[in-house]
Amino acid sequence: MDWRELPIAECLRGDEVEMLQFALDRARKQFAWKTGGLGAEQLRQRHAPSAMTLAGLVKHMAFVEDGFTARAAERPLAAPWDSRSWVENDRWGWESAVTDDPEQLYGLWYGAAARSRAAWAELSADGGLDVVIPDPDPKWSSNRRRILIDLLEEYLKHTGHADVLREAVDGVTGNDPE
């Protein structure tokens, strides 16, 4: 799969849920374009002074998709994230990605994005964004709307990182793949 196959439908006058889903789909597509189609060496390339790699970004966003969606659905994390804590998963994703095969790495992210997209369609239906998700520390309890906004924010932040890293890898620039 590549960025051209990601579902997205233009949304000029949608309701809140439709607009949030559109914004997230558009951010996913931009992220996939900026990180896609690269070989192992390109994905693993570091640019001083940062240790960040495109491989790390891809795996991190797979974790973010699965993790935020699991939290919003009040489900435990599934494989490959289920054997570590949230903090350990975050660190593991960034560090282990540089040894992953590109096809596995891309498969992990595309799978997480597809699962998340389907889950959020269900979670946000019929006022579902107002559902409060408890946290062991009550001051961090939030509703699904906030978690969805946080997911979108992660994409916006890391697509900017991918933009800079991708330009350094092979010169690809721009805001829109099409």
Side-chain angles (χ1 to χ4, degrees):
M1 182 173 220
D2 76 6
W3 63 267
R4 291 171 202 85
E5 298 173 49
L6 287 173
I8 188 168
E10 188 59 63
C11 184
L12 298 174
R13 289 174 292 283
D15 63 22
E16 175 192 33
V17 169
E18 292 166 330
M19 283 294 180
L20 286 170
Q21 291 289 3
F22 167 73
L24 188 53
D25 284 345
R26 185 169 58 182
R28 283 182 181 123
K29 194 164 201 151
Q30 289 171 334
F31 180 81
W33 172 54
K34 288 295 181 170
T35 61
L38 298 172
E41 281 297 312
Q42 293 168 308
L43 285 167
R44 295 171 183 161
Q45 193 171 343
R46 291 195 169 115
H47 307 278
S50 177
M52 190 180 293
T53 64
L54 288 166
L57 281 171
V58 172
K59 196 163 192 175
H60 172 71
M61 289 310 300
F63 171 58
V64 166
E65 286 274 13
D66 282 338
F68 284 33
T69 304
R71 182 164 189 271
E74 299 181 82
R75 294 187 324 250
L77 289 168
W81 320 111
D82 57 344
S83 63
R84 287 170 292 282
S85 74
W86 190 277
V87 171
E88 290 168 331
N89 270 317
D90 191 43
R91 186 174 32 255
W92 174 76
W94 287 103
E95 293 170 357
S96 67
V98 296
T99 62
D100 291 345
D101 175 73
E103 287 185 22
Q104 291 175 311
L105 196 57
Y106 288 132
L108 181 67
W109 180 79
Y110 277 100
R115 285 188 301 277
S116 178
R117 188 175 196 277
W120 278 103
E122 290 180 28
L123 293 171
S124 58
D126 299 322
L129 293 182
D130 291 325
V131 171
V132 174
I133 306 301
D135 189 89
D137 181 346
K139 73 179 182 184
W140 289 104
S141 295
S142 63
N143 62 19
R144 287 179 178 157
R145 179 179 292 100
R146 170 58 190 264
I147 297 169
L148 187 58
I149 294 291
D150 288 348
L151 177 57
L152 177 58
E153 181 182 41
E154 283 283 317
Y155 269 106
L156 298 174
K157 175 174 56 176
H158 291 311
T159 299
H161 293 131
D163 190 37
V164 171
L165 293 174
R166 182 63 184 255
E167 183 177 6
V169 165
D170 65 3
V172 168
T173 61
N175 294 324
D176 192 351
E178 297 179 301

